[in-house]
Amino acid sequence: MRRQIFYLFILVVTVSTLQAQKPKTPNSSKIYESIQKLNFLGSVLYVAAHPDDENTRLIAYMANQVKARTAYLSLTRGDGGQNLIGTEIRELLGVIRTQELLAARRIDGGEQLFTRANDFGYSKHPDETLEIWEEEEVLSDVVLAIRKFQPDIIINRFDHRSPGATHGHHTSSAMLSMEAFELANDESSFPGQLKTVSLWQPKRIFFNIYSWRSNPEQVNKDNLSSLDVGTYYPLKGLSNNELASIASSQHLCQGFGRLSQRGSQNENIEFLKGMPLDNNENIFSGIDTTWNRVKGGKEIGEILNKIEDNFNFKDPSIHISDLLEAYKLLQNIENTYWKAQKTKELKSIIEMCAGLYLEASVTTNWATANETVNLNIEVLNRSNQPIILESIKNADNLNISKNLELKENNKFTFKETLKISEGQNPTTPYWLTEKGSLGMYKSDKAYIGLPETPRTFLVSFNLVINQVPITISKPVIHRFSKPDKGELYKPFEIIPEASAKITEKVIIFDNDKQRDITVVVKAGRDNLEGDVEVCHPNDWNIYPKKQKINIAHKGEEQTLTFTIIPPKNQSEGYIGPIVRINDKPYSKELIEIDYDHIPFQTVLLPSESKIVRLDIKKKGKNIGYIKGAGDVVPESLRQIGYHVQILKPEDITPEILGDLDAVVVGIRAYNTVDGLNFKHQTLYNFVANGGNMIVQYSKSYGLKTKDLAPYELQLSHDRVTDENAEVRFLDPNHEVLNYPNKISKKDFDGWTQERGLYFSNKWGKEFTPILSMNDKNETPKEGSLLVAKHGKGYFIYTGLSFFREFPAGVSGAYRLFANMLSIGKDDLKLEAKINN
């Protein structure tokens, strides 16, 4: 039976994640748990640096066992990482990881907060991190989060006392949290915030110790508390650690899908400062977490505790009268923080007890400014309580009086219209509306800390329940169905009347021949007419200068072809389409992110593509590519004229490899691709027979095989995070630096985010190290590019971040990779010698 409950819960979680906008229809167990949480007046703020840093076990325990209001403050959105499920990186990856965090919080019961810090990539020391992050600005965001959320308890994931021992972002998150602990109650610190929030002093701050990160010499064992977070929840049919595993598994783009855990499991936290603990087993000891905490709360608590003690699982609606009495009393208390929070919780519980179904849906998932859309409203009371629907309103033009008695299980549906104002801004993640710096996003002050852009269109249902007026607001959504998937939901978004994109984000010219490019214009409304031109650098030419567009229906696209003529000499720059509709320009691309585990996302970003006239030579046409984590290396190689065939493990046969000049193994393939470990000998035979094999980085842990190369090769955590770090040539005369392209120090200019990662630190004598580089104050790292002759061909391991440089159009990265593919091709070598 327990297994059936568990699988049922998994199904419910999956459905609610796939259809994240669907109105909730909770059962009695959920209502009872919400009442338990309503009767706990305490809060916990968990602080770390990135998506996946959070300890879902502890968050779930605080939210579900302790019943505290619990939030995770992630200083960044994880923009600088890799993507195991798609090709989105940087800003778009940050959007995905934001939604994965929200999906995790929907499961573990927490809330999600952020700062404006940008995950610029791996940092080895907090000094570098805080300089790039603009320390004072991020600190102000942490202080603001504390003042808004008013946590009694703060728990840091990382140790503030160990700079340089782990990722600089990690240590910085703890250092900023420790500093903000005091500053949040200091009126001289960030006084401008006090116009909208109040001073707040958290009671205690802890460090969540875990052995592989913490420094045991710095931990004060006398200040340790141990919490068994393996508690079992009969109402859920799950243990806390099972719940946490499901939540953690939402981080799919980071490869965090995992097996669930059960049974007793301890979490250790170290008291750092604040109010001394009376009881090491209760981090809230000495803090009043009952309704007595607020003036006027005693009477409210008496009512709500009685409901909790005598909850009717068969008919929760019998509690509505008492809940309404508590609601009325709550409106009179002076404590604005708990009044707002508990009013929100209480209204939700009343709604659940009444079985109210309130929905406002439209027939499209997006519209444009100044458009009118059809609005379908559904109202249903599934209790025997007397409820009147007085009116339906929204912030714009909807204000409809109803005065309807909602009789039990008698559904009402209304068809209305929703007018979008002429000046309505398009929907997009608020932190991407303006260009930020390397370390910080820009944001409207009102939005700082929010996980996503607030919904613009809400419909308010003004109800009278047992003569008590209550307003419940619902976001407008798009409800639809598909024959193979059933009922589905998407958020309702506002898009521009026109958007455009160039299909290729990097366009490489290896000669001065003209090439056609494709511009796709998407209509946000019917009967779109205008013209399109492509902006370009002065030394490039594009024709025709303008083309007309005429699109009959919104959502349709028109594809236009422009011809681009590169200069004769090496050059690079950016091009971007501009669509003009009635003299109004549109220059942004509408990007849709659609994965099953997160809600559908609409993102608007400037539409531009990098163009590069590249002086490059190459040998060999046919490349096999074994995909690992998401990257665009295959597309990038096609840009410079290679024929690239994607290989699955079952395709790695002597017959298929026989038609190839080289095989490239994608990033983290040896961490992610099952079956690849059985194909080593076939690949090594391919190399021995004259082929070239390039293995891009894999993580040094979680490898599916120990045999990464035909010779000894060990991976490490070595990396060079400074993209401008000096690159030294260990063997300047080596073929890979000279044929067919002469590689110079200039080829390492303009690299982005890093030089590389997961270099080798030990290799066999058969390998020749080619490059040396290091970050400031570190020893030289020589394992970024290793070349070994194997039979007639060459085996190459590289930790250089080609997967980042290719999408950025870094010409030197293309030239070096072409040399790696071409190595050993004697006819080209001979030609180069003759030309010299």
Side-chain angles (χ1 to χ4, degrees), residues 600-618:
F600 184 86
Q601 298 295 300
T602 299
V603 184
L604 281 170
L605 290 177
S607 180
E608 63 178 19
S609 295
K610 188 170 185 179
I611 48 175
V612 179
R613 166 66 174 95
L614 182 61
D615 180 15
I616 187 171
K617 298 175 183 177
K618 55 190 182 296

Side-chain angles (χ1 to χ4, degrees), residues 184 195 407 438 529 538 611 635 656 659 693 729 739 742 821:
K195 296 176 183 178
K407 294 182 179 181
L438 173 63
E529 294 185 17
N538 291 334
I611 48 175
E635 293 84 348
I656 291 178
D659 294 329
M693 181 176 176
F729 295 171
Y739 304 105
K742 180 71 174 178
L821 291 169

Side-chain angles (χ1 to χ4, degrees), residues 492-507:
F492 176 59
E493 313 277 35
I494 304 301
I495 64 171
E497 61 177 341
S499 58
K501 66 179 180 180
I502 297 174
T503 53
E504 297 170 308
K505 293 305 171 190
V506 176
I507 306 171

Side-chain angles (χ1 to χ4, degrees), residues 652-760:
I652 302 174
T653 64
E655 293 75 21
I656 291 178
L657 297 183
D659 294 329
L660 302 176
D661 297 299
V663 171
V664 180
V665 180
I667 61 172
R668 294 176 64 175
Y670 285 113
N671 300 118
T672 60
V673 180
D674 292 323
L676 187 55
N677 54 320
F678 301 119
K679 297 295 182 176
H680 288 138
Q681 197 54 53
T682 303
L683 289 167
Y684 300 158
N685 290 342
F686 163 73
V687 177
N689 290 328
N692 292 336
M693 181 176 176
I694 300 172
V695 175
Q696 298 177 88
Y697 94 90
S698 280
K699 285 190 172 183
S700 55
Y701 53 90
L703 290 168
K704 293 181 178 292
T705 178
K706 294 180 180 179
D707 299 320
L708 296 174
Y711 309 113
E712 180 185 9
L713 182 70
Q714 292 185 18
L715 304 186
S716 72
H717 289 277
D718 287 351
R719 64 202 302 159
V720 175
T721 61
D722 181 0
E723 63 269 33
N724 298 310
E726 180 189 4
V727 177
R728 299 172 292 274
F729 295 171
L730 296 173
D731 188 353
N733 295 320
H734 195 283
E735 182 177 346
V736 80
L737 294 177
N738 291 277
Y739 304 105
N741 304 289
K742 180 71 174 178
I743 303 300
S744 71
K745 298 292 182 69
K746 287 185 178 181
D747 287 296
F748 292 91
D749 291 345
W751 283 51
T752 181
Q753 188 162 326
E754 61 198 353
R755 288 296 189 198
L757 62 171
Y758 294 100
F759 297 168
S760 175

Side-chain angles (χ1 to χ4, degrees), residues 735 739-740 794 824-834:
E735 182 177 346
Y739 304 105
Y794 285 83
K825 312 303 180 184
D826 289 336
D827 53 343
L828 229 171
K829 231 167 69 174
L830 178 62
E831 178 184 335
K833 287 181 179 179
I834 293 172

